């Protein structure tokens, strides 16, 4: 595995001069397709948002904003778009990276300055993202465990899952990451009650994510982690 994956921006991007020195908080936009007619199951949507976040790094690890973003609040913004708007965003922002899990689709971007997001992205809704429950996903070698006792909304759970997968990519076992990428990055969601979450977290393959508590849940709540067989 290249060092640039575990150490974002370890080599300067030849196009780094195109991006001004960030003056405020950086946020990674993730655009989740929420089709009005046939929305994907919730766990597939959560998984695809996490995968889109990581795919954006793997596609362009030398983007100059990865390092300051990772050293800061690690903020992600999961925004929803219907099929028509999803297509518009894809066409307007060719630098996006697409992820697919089952019937779910999402786009990931490199970090952007939170106070100056492009208007098209800034207008997309963050709160109120809800997908229908579906059957539990078939377990994969790499799984994101969610603390189901917290009752997180789809959008909140997606952001926490993305935090967990991203942290595993940055801090986890390089051999496990290489094997996962070679197999096509299969990913699933595992929902655990509070007791099972605490028990399984002891053997987590990456950092256990604790939420800052800006929305929905109590600050410091343990939300998600990655498990690898």
């Amino acid at each position: 595995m290249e060092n640039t994956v575990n150490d974002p921006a370890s080599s300067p991007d030849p196009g780094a001069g195109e991006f001004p020195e960030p003056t405020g908080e950086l946020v990674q936009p993730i655009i989740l397709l929420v089709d009005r007619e046939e929305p994907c199951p919730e766990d597939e949507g959560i998984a695809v948002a996490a995968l889109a976040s990581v795919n954006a790094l793997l596609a362009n690890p030398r983007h100059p904003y990865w390092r300051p973003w990772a050293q800061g609040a690690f903020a992600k913004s999961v925004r929803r778009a219907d099929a028509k708007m999803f297509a518009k965003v894809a066409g307007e922002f060719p630098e996006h990276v697409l992820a697919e899990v089952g019937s779910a689709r999402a786009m990931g971007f490199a970090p952007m300055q939170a106070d100056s997001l492009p208007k098209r992205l800034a207008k997309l809704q963050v709160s109120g993202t809800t997908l229908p429950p579906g059957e539990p996903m078939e377990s994969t070698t790499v799984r994101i465990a969610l603390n189901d006792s917290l009752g997180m909304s789809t959008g909140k759970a997606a952001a926490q899952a993305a935090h967990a997968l991203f942290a595993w990519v940055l801090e986890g076992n390089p051999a496990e990451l290489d094997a996962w990428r070679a197999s096509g990055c299969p990913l699933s969601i595992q929902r655990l009650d509070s007791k099972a979450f605490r028990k399984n977290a002891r053997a987590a393959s990456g950092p256990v994510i604790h939420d800052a508590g800006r929305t929905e849940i109590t600050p410091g709540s343990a939300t998600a982690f990655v498990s690898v067989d």
Side-chain angles (χ1 to χ4, degrees), residues 132-176:
E135 296 297 322
M137 296 182 71
E138 183 176 347
S139 183
T140 52
T141 300
V142 176
R143 302 175 303 281
I144 302 174
L146 293 178
N147 186 347
D148 204 36
S149 68
L150 296 174
M152 294 181 284
S153 67
T154 301
K156 183 69 171 181
Q160 298 304 302
H163 287 329
L165 188 65
F166 209 103
W168 172 68
V169 167
L170 294 182
E171 303 179 34
N173 185 311
E176 291 180 343

Side-chain angles (χ1 to χ4, degrees), residues 94-195:
E95 70 274 20
H96 76 271
V97 180
L98 183 67
E100 302 182 7
V101 175
S103 61
R105 304 289 184 273
M107 286 180 278
F109 294 84
M112 302 179 184
Q113 297 199 90
D115 60 359
S116 57
L117 287 178
K119 289 183 179 180
R120 177 77 74 188
L121 301 185
K123 288 182 178 180
L124 297 177
Q125 291 294 312
V126 178
S127 60
T129 298
T130 302
L131 288 169
E135 296 297 322
M137 296 182 71
E138 183 176 347
S139 183
T140 52
T141 300
V142 176
R143 302 175 303 281
I144 302 174
L146 293 178
N147 186 347
D148 204 36
S149 68
L150 296 174
M152 294 181 284
S153 67
T154 301
K156 183 69 171 181
Q160 298 304 302
H163 287 329
L165 188 65
F166 209 103
W168 172 68
V169 167
L170 294 182
E171 303 179 34
N173 185 311
E176 291 180 343
L177 177 58
D178 283 345
W180 180 62
R181 294 179 69 183
S183 63
C185 301
L187 187 65
S188 58
I189 299 298
Q190 180 183 32
R191 293 178 178 266
L192 301 174
D193 61 30
S194 57
K195 182 178 180 180

